[in-house]
Amino acid sequence: MRNDMDMRALWKGQPAPVADLDAMRRRIRRFALRRIGEACAVIVLMMAAIAAGVLIWTCWPPRLMLTRVGIVLACAGFMLPVWSYGRALRLYYGLKPDCSNRDYMDRLLKIKREEYRQRHAVLNLYFLLLSLGFALYSYEYAFSRSFCFGVTACSILLLWIALNWFVFRPRLLKRRSRSFSDFMKCVERCRNQLSE
């Protein structure tokens, strides 16, 4: 007995899995709310750090120009996340649940580009400005006492800068990248199903 089944016709006849867009939007909403909360916390902390820098400048005015430049660089470093998270907040608030699926996905891709820029360019510049700012700021106070105290203070500062660059920054990059890439894989799957 010969079996004449057309496998291609059977395969095409199977129903394609439909993307559960409501579940996807709920997941996106939870993710967006978590990022909005994180952004608000970072903005508040960075503004407090800038206020502390201004308070230090006004209450204990530095004598050296290097110290003033250090405070300005540190405040500029603290201002970078405020600016970057402010842009991200506008994008997250732009995710309206009543817009079309295609528009929703396009906005998510804009968020993806902003997150990538924030993870790489802004975070590296943030650590660079903070490292330079703290190094220049601490110079006056470290060497105003004794030489031994200055060398010890500079060694501790250099150790702290090295820890930031080689331990904390890569971990922060990896953690943010992993959580966002898992989320974006799910979004890309949904986008591909919508385009078919």
Side-chain angles (χ1 to χ4, degrees):
M1 180 170 168
R2 190 172 168 189
N3 192 355
D4 285 337
M5 289 194 315
D6 187 6
M7 293 301 281
R8 198 171 279 160
L10 285 174
W11 184 257
K12 286 182 181 179
Q14 290 182 345
V18 178
D20 187 10
L21 295 177
D22 290 332
M24 173 58 69
R25 285 187 183 227
R26 281 193 302 272
R27 184 174 177 188
I28 290 169
R29 187 73 186 145
R30 276 196 314 267
F31 183 81
L33 286 175
R34 188 174 36 228
R35 289 294 174 136
I36 288 170
E38 178 183 307
C40 289
V42 167
I43 288 173
V44 167
L45 287 174
M46 294 297 140
M47 294 303 279
I50 291 170
V54 170
L55 182 71
I56 288 171
W57 188 314
T58 56
C59 292
W60 300 280
R63 287 178 279 162
L64 294 177
M65 189 64 173
L66 276 178
T67 309
R68 293 178 183 159
V69 170
I71 291 174
V72 169
L73 283 176
C75 286
F78 289 132
M79 199 61 195
L80 273 175
V82 171
W83 171 73
S84 180
Y85 277 107
R87 284 180 55 155
L89 276 176
R90 282 194 304 273
L91 289 175
Y92 281 119
Y93 281 125
L95 285 175
K96 303 290 183 206
D98 56 347
C99 65
S100 69
N101 291 334
R102 177 75 55 197
D103 191 34
Y104 200 76
M105 290 297 165
D106 290 340
R107 289 176 193 241
L108 283 173
L109 291 177
K110 283 182 186 175
I111 289 173
K112 178 182 178 181
R113 287 191 296 272
E114 178 68 26
E115 287 268 345
Y116 180 80
R117 187 190 59 74
Q118 186 179 16
R119 257 194 330 266
H120 290 87
V122 172
L123 198 62
N124 286 334
L125 194 57
Y126 168 75
F127 276 108
L128 178 69
L129 287 174
L130 245 54
S131 300
L132 286 173
F134 284 138
L136 292 176
Y137 173 75
S138 67
Y139 177 77
E140 176 182 341
Y141 301 112
F143 288 105
S144 65
R145 301 204 175 135
S146 68
F147 180 74
C148 185
F149 179 80
V151 168
T152 304
C154 284
S155 300
I156 291 171
L157 180 67
L158 288 176
L159 179 66
W160 176 249
I161 289 172
L163 272 172
N164 276 328
W165 272 98
F166 301 117
V167 176
F168 299 136
R169 187 179 64 87
R171 283 186 184 173
L172 183 64
L173 282 171
K174 190 182 295 184
R175 182 175 54 97
R176 285 186 65 89
S177 177
R178 188 178 336 120
S179 71
F180 193 72
S181 67
D182 290 344
F183 173 72
M184 283 313 290
K185 283 178 190 174
C186 186
V187 169
E188 289 291 333
R189 267 196 317 269
C190 236
R191 183 173 185 247
N192 291 337
Q193 286 179 355
L194 284 174
S195 64
E196 290 176 356

